[in-house]
Amino acid sequence: MGCCQSSWFKGTRSEKNRYPQTTGLNHAPPSNGTEAAAVGGGDGGGGVPAFAEFSLADLEAATSNFSSEFIVSESGEKAPNVVYKGRLQNRRWIAVKKFTKLAWPDPKQFADEAWGVGKLRHRRLANLIGYCCDGDERLLVAEFMPNDTLAMHLFHWENQTIEWAMRLRVALYIAEALDYCGTEGRPLYHDLNAYRVVFDENGDPRLSCFGMMKNSRDGKSYSTNLAYTPPEYLRNGRVTPESVIFSVGTVLLDLLSGKHIPPSHALEPHNTSSLEGKDANQKMLALDAGSALDMIRGKNIHLLMDSHLEGNFSTEEATVVFELASQCLQYEPRDRPSPKNLVDTLAPLQNKPDVPSYVMLGIPKHEEAPPTPQHPLSPMGDACTRMDLTAIHQILVMTHYKDDEGTNELSFQEWTQQMRDMLEARKRGDLAFRDKDFKTAIDCYSQFIDVGTMISPTVYARRSLCYLLCDQPDSALRDAMQAQCVYPDWSTAFYMQAVALAKLDMHKDAADMLNEAAALEEKRLRGGRGGGS
């Protein structure tokens, strides 16, 4: 497309890769020779904002003053650290975890820990995007995942259980997330369980970043039922990288069984003499007659498997996961596999790599409107932000061809019968467009465009919208880019590209286009040419 290529064709824009200035605390991020991963950092973290400090006022506004109606914690207000959903002014949904001051009395220590986690950016994580320390408040801000937790889909489902291929995908994505975190120097994950695995707008499983952050300054707070804690935690109260692998084993049992079965980890390799000297909790764990580990030792895989799968799983694949869970649940930490071992074992088992997660979960495909641009919005900008194609149609009808002025200069010799036919085709297209007969409008506008004597950015914009309304976003994007070629500073061309890009799930590029369009409108209002809305 030459000079009219959008940022979609120009490649990734350069992004600032440094910590923003923090406010309120006069606290600088820890200086360790590394920089925070901003948008697009890590592996596939594109579209995630750079980590930053939020004001308490922003988070109160986003959560309706921390209303109980916004709580998404599994235990509601009874959770030790309540999690809220919220929506920022730029329309981005967020998850906000609220700690007590007693958990983190030192604001600098809390901020240091948050900055450490905030550097991580990966497509397998629900990434941490900010924090807030204001008075007694200790808050973490993360990407919001709208499709519930693994626990909800496994233990409390209503319409359908998770199919076997999706369970294998969940296991692999957890392993990939932990492997990435380990390579970035953050190998500890606190309290890993099925409630920490969340599903994004596309149904892809992600590991909540909240687990990368200690529950308290001493790191000894462990909110999970003791039946699921690693054996070494009962001895010394510390989480180690090997402890995380033990917790992976418990999640693998969840995926196999569809139940939250506690492993009987207090038994040291196969004898009960180890019960002597144990406290009541440890004896209770050791004598759990229904423990999953007993079934693992007996190789009773079919007894363990989720009956709701109705046999729709590969016994060979299930056996591999079964044996991997057994390795993860070894009593001695040194006998457990590494995250890389987990990835290497689980990756070959993936049997539906081309099927989207939302299909396997049985949820509708998500179409998200791009975030509100940084500049003030015109009616056209507002309609495009809301993906309101009906409103866009009304605006283009009202605008008519006033933005085409000066784009064509015709000589007397060019005013031929062919020209009259071409203008008649455009007129028929305009009538069909007004009457919402979009397929006829496409045909008529195509006749006008194919002659090539006159070039109209408005016709391209109108045909672009017709393609969107006929569910052809690729063609819509091409027409919007052609409109930009004809009229490089026309905001409507950028707005139409933004809508088409959003329809193509290219939300970062769509947001960029919205901002460029709004900036062009602002420039026009200051006296430059450009607009159309």
Side-chain angles (χ1 to χ4, degrees), residues 192-252:
L192 175 58
N193 56 65
Y195 294 93
R196 297 286 199 180
V197 181
V198 288
F199 292 85
D200 66 18
E201 63 275 7
N202 297 313
D204 287 328
R206 300 203 202 185
L207 198 56
S208 169
C209 64
F210 290 148
M212 304 300 301
M213 183 95 169
K214 294 184 291 188
N215 286 324
S216 64
R217 59 175 176 166
D218 57 17
K220 290 187 177 181
S221 175
Y222 210 96
S223 61
T224 298
N225 186 306
L226 287 176
Y228 303 93
T229 57
E232 59 271 18
Y233 182 85
L234 295 176
R235 295 195 299 267
N236 56 34
R238 293 289 178 185
V239 177
T240 66
E242 293 76 21
S243 306
V244 180
I245 300 301
F246 185 93
S247 296
V248 172
T250 69
V251 176
L252 292 178

Side-chain angles (χ1 to χ4, degrees), residues 28-269:
S31 176
N32 58 4
T34 62
E35 295 177 336
V39 176
D43 183 5
V48 185
F51 187 81
E53 183 179 2
F54 285 82
S55 71
L56 181 60
D58 285 340
L59 299 183
E60 286 175 336
T63 60
S64 190
N65 204 25
F66 297 105
S67 166
S68 59
E69 296 180 359
F70 284 69
I71 294 175
V72 292
S73 308
E74 297 291 343
S75 302
E77 293 179 280
K78 296 180 180 179
N81 300 299
V82 182
V83 179
Y84 299 82
K85 72 174 181 179
R87 199 170 197 181
L88 299 173
Q89 288 184 343
N90 67 357
R91 301 176 66 85
R92 178 184 289 276
W93 285 100
I94 56 172
V96 183
K97 184 172 182 177
K98 193 172 189 179
F99 293 86
T100 65
K101 182 184 177 183
L102 292 176
W104 294 94
D106 182 355
K108 184 179 184 301
Q109 191 176 26
F110 178 77
D112 283 345
E113 183 75 9
W115 277 104
V117 177
K119 291 187 291 185
L120 301 173
R121 285 291 181 271
H122 199 274
R123 67 187 184 279
R124 304 293 182 237
L125 293 175
N127 296 283
L128 195 67
I129 62 175
Y131 77 105
C132 173
C133 276
D134 190 324
D136 292 344
E137 297 292 348
R138 305 288 183 267
L139 302 157
L140 294 178
V141 184
E143 295 178 287
F144 178 68
M145 302 290 113
N147 283 310
D148 292 320
T149 64
L150 176 61
M152 184 65 69
H153 287 284
L154 271 182
F155 312 140
H156 310 295
W157 55 274
E158 295 180 1
N159 298 320
Q160 68 177 66
T161 188
I162 303 181
E163 66 172 271
W164 176 244
M166 188 64 192
R167 299 185 193 207
L168 293 174
R169 183 173 295 181
V170 170
L172 174 63
Y173 283 16
I174 293 171
E176 289 180 342
L178 293 174
D179 187 40
Y180 162 75
C181 293
T183 61
E184 294 296 312
R186 305 287 304 193
L188 299 185
Y189 194 95
H190 303 267
D191 216 3
L192 175 58
N193 56 65
Y195 294 93
R196 297 286 199 180
V197 181
V198 288
F199 292 85
D200 66 18
E201 63 275 7
N202 297 313
D204 287 328
R206 300 203 202 185
L207 198 56
S208 169
C209 64
F210 290 148
M212 304 300 301
M213 183 95 169
K214 294 184 291 188
N215 286 324
S216 64
R217 59 175 176 166
D218 57 17
K220 290 187 177 181
S221 175
Y222 210 96
S223 61
T224 298
N225 186 306
L226 287 176
Y228 303 93
T229 57
E232 59 271 18
Y233 182 85
L234 295 176
R235 295 195 299 267
N236 56 34
R238 293 289 178 185
V239 177
T240 66
E242 293 76 21
S243 306
V244 180
I245 300 301
F246 185 93
S247 296
V248 172
T250 69
V251 176
L252 292 178
L253 292 183
D254 294 343
L255 291 168
L256 288 165
S257 67
K259 304 177 184 68
H260 203 27
I261 304 175
S264 182
H265 54 58
L267 277 174
E268 294 181 16

